[in-house]
Amino acid sequence: MTIAFLTLDEYEADPQRYNQALDRNDELKKLADAHVGGMVFKCSGIDSECLLLATDSRYKAPTAAHIAEVYDYLVKELGADIADIEALTGYKAGEPVTYPTWRLMLSMAGLSIDLMHISKEIRRKILR
């Protein structure tokens, strides 16, 4: 995704481009809001602070319980193979995680906004 800033001169020269950018921002906000709402139902014990990026001042590292909940969700709810989780992330159950491993686990569980991919069908449903 590219973020473009328009100067006042550019806006006056092409207001349609500005309106398209606003529409795209609205679309992204709706998708993100819907995804965040879904995260609450998937893993109810996950605090939003550990889902944030480390660059966010509100970020808190996941606790052992958070890590276990995401791991269990991957295995029990999504049917992920334990060996695949270990091979892809380097994580083994019960161990502490590094930040990159945590982000990868969140992405695998569909709990990472920064890495999420939404199908066109789901996108259409959300944006109705």
Side-chain angles (χ1 to χ4, degrees):
M1 175 177 75
T2 302
I3 298 175
F5 297 96
L6 300 176
T7 65
L8 187 55
D9 291 337
E10 289 172 322
Y11 167 70
E12 289 174 349
D14 190 0
Q16 183 178 3
R17 182 174 169 220
Y18 175 77
N19 289 329
Q20 287 173 336
L22 283 180
D23 290 344
R24 179 67 178 142
N25 284 341
D26 289 344
E27 176 184 334
L28 290 172
K29 182 179 180 334
K30 287 179 185 177
L31 290 170
D33 288 347
H35 187 70
V36 169
M39 292 187 313
V40 172
F41 295 107
K42 288 181 182 177
C43 290
S44 59
I46 301 294
D47 297 325
S48 61
E49 291 84 5
C50 71
L51 297 173
L52 298 170
L53 294 175
T55 54
D56 190 308
S57 63
R58 298 168 297 160
Y59 172 77
K60 292 181 184 173
T63 65
H66 292 137
I67 297 163
E69 185 163 355
V70 172
Y71 184 83
D72 288 347
Y73 180 76
L74 286 169
V75 173
K76 295 176 183 173
E77 299 297 323
L78 298 183
D81 185 70
I82 292 171
D84 289 342
I85 296 171
E86 289 180 6
L88 290 169
T89 67
Y91 175 73
K92 294 183 179 170
E95 294 182 353
V97 296
T98 62
Y99 178 75
T101 298
W102 175 241
R103 295 307 302 175
L104 186 53
M105 288 175 66
L106 290 175
S107 181
M108 291 172 66
L111 298 171
S112 175
I113 295 173
D114 53 309
L115 301 175
M116 76 179 183
H117 173 76
I118 298 177
S119 71
K120 288 181 181 179
E121 178 183 335
I122 293 173
R123 181 185 303 256
R124 280 193 298 271
K125 288 179 182 177
I126 292 171
L127 295 176
R128 278 190 223 166

